């Protein structure tokens, strides 16, 4: 499970003194699964993000951002809960990484991804922002899935929410979280409100409110519906839950803040570490 919210201001047209893009996300995973915290990647320093270090899956990522050649890209991977696929031969970890280090647009990459699909069920949210000056700050957000296979351009007129179901039938926590996320962004979009924006978004990502009933979640995971019905998944008896919280802010001049909170140990009630990275694209 994972959850992701994105807001694109004014369809990407720069508004002086305001953020162009705001992103907030939780990574849900087994607490003991090894991972590196967010940092520039050693072999591709234009990419920033965390990395999976599970033996045999090293180097994959669930969420990262890159900037090169006048283009900023963000990729986020979410599984599709309750779906099964036959003939799966590839791990999903490289999906985001391959998008970020390559030169293809998100549309080109998504078409190639589905044409060569040997992955388990996934939702890929891919963002691209033209920072070259010639594109006027154009922003594109695509939702690509192989369960079922389709590519959907996202309407940027309001806040976006993504989870572990289809785009057409979002989970209740995605629907409610999207509204709360939009309310926070509406209040705190100006650069002068950065600290308040970050803390209020972190509070949203920590929310334990259960959004029930949820017919879609109950259909997909009937035995764990109650445990997975909150934005912050807290399931310590199974060693599973929201173990990394990420916020990405990009302002009108393409300055980025990447804020990550991640568990230090396998105890969700223990110490968390906050990483803050900045970059000018």
């Amino acid at each position: 499970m994972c959850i992701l919210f994105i807001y694109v201001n004014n369809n990407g047209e720069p508004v002086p003194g305001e953020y162009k893009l705001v992103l907030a996300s939780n990574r849900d995973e087994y607490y003991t699964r090894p991972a590196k915290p967010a940092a520039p990647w050693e072999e591709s320093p234009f990419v920033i993000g965390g990395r999976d270090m599970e033996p045999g899956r090293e180097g994959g990522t669930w969420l990262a951002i890159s900037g090169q050649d006048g283009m900023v890209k963000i990729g986020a991977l979410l599984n599709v809960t309750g779906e099964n696929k036959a003939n799966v031969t590839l791990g999903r970890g490289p999906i985001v990484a391959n998008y970020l280090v390559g030169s293809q647009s998100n549309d080109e990459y998504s078409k190639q991804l589905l044409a060569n699909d040997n992955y388990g069920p996934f939702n890929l949210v891919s963002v691209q922002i033209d920072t070259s000056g010639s594109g006027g700050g154009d922003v594109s957000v695509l939702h690509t899935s192989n369960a079922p296979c389709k590519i959907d351009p996202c309407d940027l007129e309001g806040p976006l929410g993504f989870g572990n179901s289809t785009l057409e039938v979002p989970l209740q926590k995605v629907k409610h979280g999207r509204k709360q996320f939009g309310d926070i962004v509406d209040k705190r979009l100006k650069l002068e409100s950065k600290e308040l924006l970050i803390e209020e978004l972190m509070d949203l990502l920590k929310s334990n409110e259960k959004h029930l009933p949820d017919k879609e979640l109950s259909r997909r995971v009937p035995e764990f519906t109650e445990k997975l019905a909150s934005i912050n998944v807290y399931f310590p008896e199974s060693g599973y839950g929201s173990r990394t919280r990420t916020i990405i802010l990009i302002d009108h001049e393409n300055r980025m803040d990447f804020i990550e909170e991640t568990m230090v140990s396998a105890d969700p009630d223990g110490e968390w570490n906050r990483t803050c990275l900045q970059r000018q694209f």
Side-chain angles (χ1 to χ4, degrees):
M1 303 289 287
C2 289
I3 198 164
L4 172 71
F5 304 106
I6 296 174
Y7 178 79
V8 177
N9 187 10
N10 198 35
N11 286 311
E13 289 290 335
V15 178
E18 294 186 356
Y19 287 103
K20 178 189 293 185
L21 179 139
V22 180
L23 177 152
S25 177
N26 271 347
R27 180 199 184 202
D28 302 336
E29 185 51 87
Y30 287 101
Y31 297 141
T32 57
R33 185 163 180 157
K36 287 184 177 180
W41 291 3
E42 193 170 312
E43 77 283 13
S44 302
F46 57 89
V47 180
I48 292 174
R51 307 196 83 169
D52 188 10
M53 295 306 293
E54 180 80 0
R57 309 245 174 166
E58 298 93 339
T61 189
W62 56 97
L63 170 66
I65 183 170
S66 69
Q68 63 172 343
D69 301 327
M71 189 69 71
V72 172
K73 296 179 177 181
I74 302 171
L77 188 70
L78 307 94
N79 71 334
V80 185
T81 303
E83 300 286 346
N84 292 299
K85 277 191 68 191
N87 304 317
V88 172
T89 60
L90 299 173
R92 291 169 289 198
I95 290 176
V96 168
N98 290 342
Y99 168 57
L100 296 181
V101 302
S103 60
Q104 292 175 302
S105 69
N106 57 354
D107 182 61
E108 293 168 335
Y109 181 77
S110 294
K111 289 175 180 176
Q112 177 182 292
L113 183 65
L114 294 184
N116 299 283
D117 174 32
N118 288 306
Y119 300 100
F122 69 82
N123 291 328
L124 168 68
V125 179
S126 57
V127 181
Q128 66 178 36
I129 305 172
D130 186 338
T131 60
S132 65
S134 60
D138 290 345
V139 180
S140 167
V141 181
L142 296 183
H143 180 277
T144 303
S145 183
N146 66 350
C149 286
K150 58 187 305 195
I151 302 169
D152 289 300
C154 297
D155 184 352
L156 304 182
E157 290 299 323
L160 303 171
F162 307 94
N164 305 103
S165 62
T166 63
L167 201 59
E168 294 78 14
V169 188
L171 303 181
Q172 289 298 312
K173 65 179 181 180
V174 174
K175 292 175 64 175
H176 288 274
R178 180 176 60 208
K179 171 64 167 60
Q180 294 172 281
F181 172 76
D183 290 344
I184 293 168
V185 171
D186 282 346
K187 277 192 310 180
R188 307 297 186 195
L189 196 56
K190 293 192 179 297
L191 306 188
E192 64 197 37
S193 300
K194 181 169 80 170
E195 297 308 319
L196 287 171
L197 173 61
I198 291 169
E199 294 313 314
E200 290 180 18
L201 290 177
M202 283 295 181
D203 286 344
L204 173 64
L205 296 176
K206 296 174 188 176
S207 174
N208 293 317
E209 179 182 358
K210 305 290 185 182
H211 297 285
L212 294 170
D214 187 333
K215 291 182 180 179
E216 181 67 4
L217 185 59
S218 296
R219 182 183 72 81
R220 289 181 176 275
V221 279
E223 67 274 36
F224 299 125
T225 300
E226 191 271 337
K227 291 293 184 181
L228 301 177
S230 55
I231 291 172
N232 178 62
V233 174
Y234 180 78
F235 199 178
E237 56 267 44
S238 290
Y240 181 88
S242 298
R243 51 168 291 172
T244 303
R245 303 185 278 262
T246 305
I247 293 169
I248 297 176
L249 308 175
I250 300 177
D251 73 10
H252 66 289
E253 294 183 334
N254 298 313
R255 291 184 296 249
M256 181 209 69
D257 287 277
F258 190 116
I259 303 98
E260 177 189 271
E261 290 186 348
T262 193
M263 291 167 49
V264 173
S265 69
D267 178 8
D269 296 316
E271 184 183 355
W272 288 64
N273 182 61
R274 177 176 286 198
T275 299
C276 299
L277 302 166
Q278 294 182 316
R279 182 164 289 182
Q280 173 69 62
F281 292 121

